[in-house]
Amino acid sequence: MYSHTLRSSLLAVTSITMICAAFAVSVAVGQDSTKLDTIPKQTAEMKKAARKKKKKRTVGPPIGGNTATPIDRIKAMEGFKVELLYSVPGEDQGSWVALCTDDKGRLLVSDQFGGLYRISPPAAGQTIDRADVEQVPADIRASNGMVWAFGALYVGVNDYERKIPSGLYRVTDSNGDDQLDKVELLRELNSHGDHGVHAVVPTPDGEALYLITGNNTRPPALAPTSQVPQVWGEDHLLPSMPDGRGHNRGVLAPGGIVYRITPDGKTCEAYASGFRNIYDAAVNHDGELFTYDADMEWDFNTPWYRPTRICHVTSGAEFGWRNGAGKRMPFYADNLPGTLDIGPGSPTGVLFGYGAKFPAKYQNALYALDWSWGKLYAVHLNPEGSSYSATKEEFVTGAPLPITDAIIHPTDGAMYFTIGGRRVQSGLYRVTYVGDESVEPVDAKPTESEARTTRHMLEAFHGRQDPTAIATAWPYLADQDRFIRWAARTTIEHQPAAQWLDKAMSETDPARQAEALLALTRVTGVCPLHRSESAVPVDSVMRAKLLETILAIGVDELGPEQRLTLHRTLQIVLSRFGRPDEATEQRLIQKFDPCFPAETPEENWLLCETLAWLQSPTVAAKAMALIHAAPTQEEQMQYARSIRMLKAGWNAELREAYFQWFLKAASYRGGLSFEKFLEFIRNDAVAALSEAEKGSMAELLARKPEKKSAIENLGEMFADRDSREWTLDELAAAAHTGLEQRDFANGRRMFAAAACYACHRFDNQGGMTGPDLTSAGRRFSVRDLLDQVINPSKVINDQYSSVVVQMEDGKTHQGVVVNLSGDSFTLNTDLTDPNQLVKIDRKEIEEMKVSKVSAMPAGLLSRMTEDEILDLLAYLISGGNAEHQAFKK
């Protein structure tokens, strides 16, 4: 159901109020709130009572008592009101995770490890009594998703305990007594753990259901009409590294799938694939499907990490989840990008605000729920081409607020949401608008979009063969709209390859041909991991045709996106068809070696991998130069990974520089798997050495790295400089006239040199223990930005506050709360190192208070020149955009 963020990852930063609230309840059961600045010393009686309570508790809320998070610990946007309607008694009603309404407007809720309950929504200002909660007699359990459709309750069961089969069920009233008692298993699915069967969503055409599943659900036999062409593969040119800590090792493509299933369960199609762990989805007025997918936070600060994100789920889409380091980046041509990156978290419910008695903006919003950070985001979608762009804001936040599901009630127009899951304390809440803006219903008509109409026209061919499909789709293979190109290529892939093979080979438009060759490679090549099962030999004739055609395409004739398509297509050809003869390899090197290095990190990513696989004699020197110049550890790590098995083109100086980099990289920080991935890269690099090289480098290979924190290692360029205490006034004055014709590359270099990436995410790179700074330039004035850096303790974001804990034994710990479980919590005592952790037993705390000192160190600018500071400031303001006006010459 959820990402690992609170169960096992210690990276998700939790608001300090969460632990203060938990601590207060554990030492003073019955109190509704506690001050956030200090918590008084416990009396002996209170400690004794807390210990006694812990011994008696078996299955119940982790913070004591049957009391859900009180309203004074929940914040809503201005004009909105949150009510706590019901605190769920965990000992007999469990922990609630799914929510919907029946045909009479009553609420139906599910216990993650138990059955279903029915509740009539209370009047405004009223709460729910335990007697008002009616248990549904249906013999069903472990619902992770529900919807009332086609005159019945459809349920997605994900039974961790395997007491009943997981899959899609239908629950009905067998005798007209207004009780749901008849249970039918419509479609069994083999799933296990959190990443299994989840939500059920009606399709926009009113003819079927979407079933939302995570990557631990094995695909069943799929109908031939599936929108996803069943030609998926791992498609790694270089050997992929599995998860560093073994998670889901062996779980391969296609990842999580959105299925389209008929109401009787008999026809099951794969509508879209490549997800990690989607829990819910929602359809907008345009008939478009959206979901919120999880990250893999153990991968944080690696080049292949992808934040949680909102995805526009189109017909036949692939979103690129692969195990371990194999995840496809958004720029891969065989993968669609997300619509909006959210950041670290654990995605749960998704819904649109349609029907809510909210202002128009919030009726149209997509709401995305984050279990681990206790956030309910309002995502505002804007039509853009055949897809959408989006922005977000925090609509409701709380601590703790493990939010699981939400609905808009069709009668009262209020939002209802549940908290719970994993047997934590559960509750039912209601959100209403009490402000002054109009809440008149918005126009429910679809927005007009010629591009979207084109995409829909192409998607109508998905899952079927049609004599007009190839001629219709072919012109759109070079369309500027990525989602239209995807729809066109998917249409082509559903047609027999013999009908369009020659057309692909003889196409005269380079951009169109690159996309056509990608399609041809996917449908004619067999993934190496599947080859032994299918007993299909490598088609050397097809390989030769594909490579000859690729060699004939002029790279200079392609735009940036089409070049990425060509490079990725070549990788898949070599992965699926294997090595060609040596002469062809040399021709490929001669063609693509002059392209490397390219102007963008994305193109360099693909070229470096391909040329290293081909054993280009120049790639070692070029890659090492890029490693030396790259300001971020992610870029450096990617090039180091790409050349780890390279044997050609090395000399003693380059080899030494490569293994010196590993000593430096030992001080880099990332998620829980970060060090293991570095170890995997280095192990492969050592294995690629000859015996003579191992002998000559024995001392270097045996050297143990001297690990430094990011703050200790601010940057070699500052090593011999004197410090200067810059004042806010003098830097603000310099910025007033000096933010013109700045140096983008140097600004990025300063961001890295000042160790900003260690804690902050910026432009999809960096840490997560501090706020994401990508949009800082839009949220703060120049003076305020400087003030935040020069005086970091002046205003401390509550979410990133440190806590000072005084223990009974006299020890003091200070850090940020990163995990909460039962009667203990974990502090990260060094924000630049996610693995610097201390586990705290709440029963042994003498006193706890919020630190008045920011975890961000002062003096980060003290060794920079004025020009360097202004370049850094311009870089921050730009959001990572090199075309920003501050850099125009």
Side-chain angles (χ1 to χ4, degrees), residues 813-889:
H813 304 287
Q814 179 170 344
V816 172
V817 179
V818 293
N819 198 20
L820 177 67
S821 178
D823 285 318
S824 66
F825 63 89
T826 305
L827 290 180
N828 172 210
T829 57
D830 180 357
L831 293 189
T832 68
D833 184 357
N835 296 313
Q836 290 297 313
L837 306 169
V838 175
K839 190 172 183 178
I840 305 293
D841 187 332
R842 293 200 314 241
K843 301 184 302 301
E844 298 176 1
I845 295 175
E846 186 80 6
E847 184 181 35
M848 182 167 65
K849 59 184 178 181
V850 177
S851 174
K852 301 299 183 184
V853 179
S854 172
M856 177 177 168
L860 290 178
L861 305 180
S862 62
R863 290 191 287 171
M864 290 187 188
T865 67
E866 181 178 292
D867 276 336
E868 288 170 340
I869 293 171
L870 293 177
D871 286 342
L872 170 60
L873 193 57
Y875 182 67
L876 282 169
I877 292 170
S878 76
N881 176 17
E883 301 301 317
H884 189 274
Q885 60 183 10
F887 305 114
K888 294 189 181 301
K889 302 297 185 182

Side-chain angles (χ1 to χ4, degrees), residues 631-682:
T632 69
Q633 67 182 49
E634 288 93 336
E635 284 185 56
Q636 295 175 27
M637 191 174 181
Q638 174 56 24
Y639 299 131
R641 174 173 71 140
S642 296
I643 61 175
R644 71 190 194 275
M645 296 177 175
L646 178 67
K647 295 185 177 182
W650 293 101
N651 58 36
E653 182 180 356
L654 289 172
R655 281 291 196 196
E656 181 175 349
Y658 186 37
F659 283 96
Q660 287 283 4
W661 177 84
F662 286 105
L663 296 176
K664 176 184 177 181
S667 294
Y668 292 164
R669 298 292 180 263
L672 291 182
S673 293
F674 187 82
E675 291 186 4
K676 291 298 295 183
F677 281 125
L678 279 177
E679 179 185 327
F680 292 163
I681 296 171
R682 189 181 185 278

